[in-house]
Amino acid sequence: EPEVTQTPSHQVTQMGQEVILRCVPISNHLYFYWYRQILGQKVEFLVSFYNNEISEKSEIFDDQFSVERPDGSNFTLKIRSTKLEDSAMYFCASSNTGARPQHFGDGTRLSIL
Amino acid sequence: QKEVEQNSGPLSVPEGAIASLNCTYSDRGSQSFFWYRQYSGKSPELIMSIYSNGDKEDGRFTAQLNKASQYVSLLIRDSQPSDSATYLCAVNQGAQKLVFGQGTRLTINP
């Protein structure tokens, strides 16, 4: 069964450094998403991406965050200057339409020191 | 921010019994509703989707939707120890965004 793949599985970074989290969505899906889950808390929406542009973003997704689809398969989340509070699991998801089920990758655990 | 509410549990159910999980949501415009299962330290795994009022069955799982009451539920029949996990209710808000509840932790006791 097709799946969303994310790399790396765990990223440890010093505060203030830039990180790029990578995702390969399911191949025939057109909508891509990033969510995060701080330990012990809810899964929170960050951003959705369709037709090579951001279609919706949350208040969490401030100027430090950016997304890109650099080629036909990858979808990336960049955090420019990481803060301690960015430590969380980051999940990439994809769906074939906006209202259909979103399928999640295994996540990247981001630890900011 | 429109909310999705779940009882955080823990909910303990004996093996072989029916587990009943509930969720309410505040956005009357929501049209798509999902249940995800999340094992500790893992990602959300889609179990059920439901879009219209009534029941939808898939194997041991039944999702129920009542849009007038803004209520979604998940029944798990013949509960197994492997069903022990956190169950997340998720609701589409707007075109694409999913809003998740805090999850209900379910424990199936052998």
Side-chain angles (χ1 to χ4, degrees), chain A residues 59-79:
Chain A
E59 58 273 12
I60 302 169
F61 194 90
D62 61 23
D63 291 344
Q64 286 200 123
F65 290 87
S66 62
V67 290
E68 193 178 33
R69 185 151 166 85
D71 54 43
S73 58
N74 290 284
F75 179 52
T76 62
L77 174 69
K78 183 192 290 186
I79 310 175

Side-chain angles (χ1 to χ4, degrees), chain B residues 32-49:
Chain B
S32 304
F33 307 87
F34 308 95
W35 284 98
Y36 287 84
R37 177 174 63 199
Q38 187 176 34
Y39 293 113
S40 182
K42 302 295 186 182
S43 63
E45 175 193 4
L46 180 72
I47 296 176
M48 293 286 288
S49 57

Side-chain angles (χ1 to χ4, degrees), chain A residues 53-112:
Chain A
E53 60 182 24
I54 290 173
S55 45
E56 189 172 356
K57 60 183 181 179
S58 72
E59 58 273 12
I60 302 169
F61 194 90
D62 61 23
D63 291 344
Q64 286 200 123
F65 290 87
S66 62
V67 290
E68 193 178 33
R69 185 151 166 85
D71 54 43
S73 58
N74 290 284
F75 179 52
T76 62
L77 174 69
K78 183 192 290 186
I79 310 175
R80 256 176 282 282
S81 177
T82 50
K83 305 182 208 142
L84 294 175
E85 54 265 36
D86 294 328
S87 295
M89 281 290 284
Y90 287 80
F91 295 112
C92 176
S94 68
S95 64
N96 56 10
T97 72
R100 293 294 108 173
Q102 296 179 20
H103 298 270
F104 283 70
D106 287 342
T108 293
R109 181 176 301 282
L110 178 62
S111 300
I112 307 300

